[in-house]
Amino acid sequence: MKLLEERIRKDGVVKEGNILKVDSFLNHQMDIDLFNAMGEEFRRLFEGRPINKILTIEASGIGIAVIVAQHFHVPVVFAKKAQSVNLDGEMYTTKIESFTHKRTYDVIVSKKFLSKEDHILVIDDFLANGCAVNGLIDLIQSAGATIEGVGIAVEKGFQTGGKLLRDKGIRVESLAIIESMDAATGEIVFRDQG
Ligand code: 5GP
């Protein structure tokens, strides 16, 4: 998606350790007009899929997911990072290793909000090694729900997450895929998606 690529070039900052900072428009301050255009694009890409719910993870997936959901007219559920898991049987739980924070979280979704009737679109801001998305898929599978696809704002194509998911037959649509980036020069190369 050209609009997102241009914005990353203009305002994204490449940090050491393969981190792209996009906090001026994507995951701290949020550009809602950009999110709206992203929602329109996801709607077009997933046209015809019987999506009845969007699943994301707190915190930075929520803003994007909420605006995207306005284009699908479906509710958003976000997986919560829990301090301690209360094993009362009312939650689906999984563990997710955080790429940016280098720690592991227990993540939960109430069984009330995910069921085998659901057809889920997963939305997140970044796809790197795929830990976050794989955790969400684990929750969806625990509920017996159907994964209709995964919609990502920025995929770092030089990390393994996207390939692993696509190899499993999961449809992944990323609006910008970064092939390489260089913290020293600030150069960012995007994959040509046609
Ligand atoms: P993964 O679980 O795919 O390894 O990493 C995805 C998660 O880590 C995303 O939810 C995102 O919050 C965070 N993340 C991964 N790479 C980056 C990055 O380059 N920049 C930022 N801002 N967040 C990232």
Side-chain angles (χ1 to χ4, degrees):
M1 183 188 179
K2 286 286 165 242
L3 188 65
L4 180 59
E5 291 181 5
E6 282 163 14
R7 190 61 180 274
I8 293 168
R9 269 196 214 293
K10 181 167 156 282
D11 293 329
V13 181
V14 183
K15 297 280 187 192
E16 291 296 340
N18 281 334
I19 296 286
L20 177 69
K21 254 190 119 123
V22 286
D23 59 355
S24 65
F25 61 96
L26 202 74
N27 55 17
H28 193 39
Q29 176 168 261
M30 296 179 276
D31 181 335
I32 300 308
D33 287 335
L34 176 66
F35 284 16
N36 204 36
M38 287 164 41
E40 237 174 76
E41 182 63 1
F42 282 131
R43 177 76 211 166
R44 189 184 69 77
L45 290 165
F46 290 102
E47 190 65 59
R49 295 279 180 139
I51 292 160
N52 75 328
K53 201 167 278 186
I54 287 177
L55 180 67
T56 188
I57 179 163
E58 69 175 353
S60 49
I62 298 175
I64 297 171
V66 164
I67 303 290
V68 170
Q70 289 194 304
H71 292 264
F72 289 82
H73 304 286
V74 300
V76 175
V77 175
F78 65 93
K80 295 187 176 198
K81 291 170 182 164
Q83 293 302 332
S84 62
V85 175
N86 178 359
L87 294 172
D88 57 9
E90 293 183 359
M91 303 280 178
Y92 296 114
T93 73
T94 191
K95 286 191 188 299
I96 293 181
E97 195 183 321
S98 163
F99 177 80
T100 37
H101 300 121
K102 306 272 181 272
R103 53 164 288 197
T104 301
Y105 294 92
D106 287 308
V107 171
I108 58 168
V109 169
S110 169
K111 288 186 177 175
K112 282 187 290 193
F113 304 128
L114 214 47
S115 77
K116 62 181 186 335
E117 281 77 40
D118 285 327
H119 290 254
I120 308 285
L121 174 63
V122 171
I123 293 285
D124 204 4
D125 58 343
F126 270 90
L127 178 59
N129 292 325
C131 302
V133 170
N134 275 308
L136 294 176
I137 288 172
D138 194 30
L139 295 171
I140 294 168
Q141 286 173 337
S142 300
T146 305
I147 304 157
E148 292 294 337
V150 176
I152 298 291
V154 187
E155 176 177 341
K156 293 190 290 182
F158 53 87
Q159 291 182 251
T160 55
K163 182 173 178 346
L164 293 175
L165 290 166
R166 291 182 183 101
D167 284 353
K168 281 196 229 170
I170 293 169
R171 176 151 173 215
V172 182
E173 297 287 355
S174 300
L175 301 183
I177 303 182
I178 297 175
E179 285 293 9
S180 64
M181 57 187 201
D182 187 328
T185 62
E187 193 194 8
I188 300 172
V189 178
F190 291 100
R191 186 175 301 170
D192 187 355
Q193 298 196 79

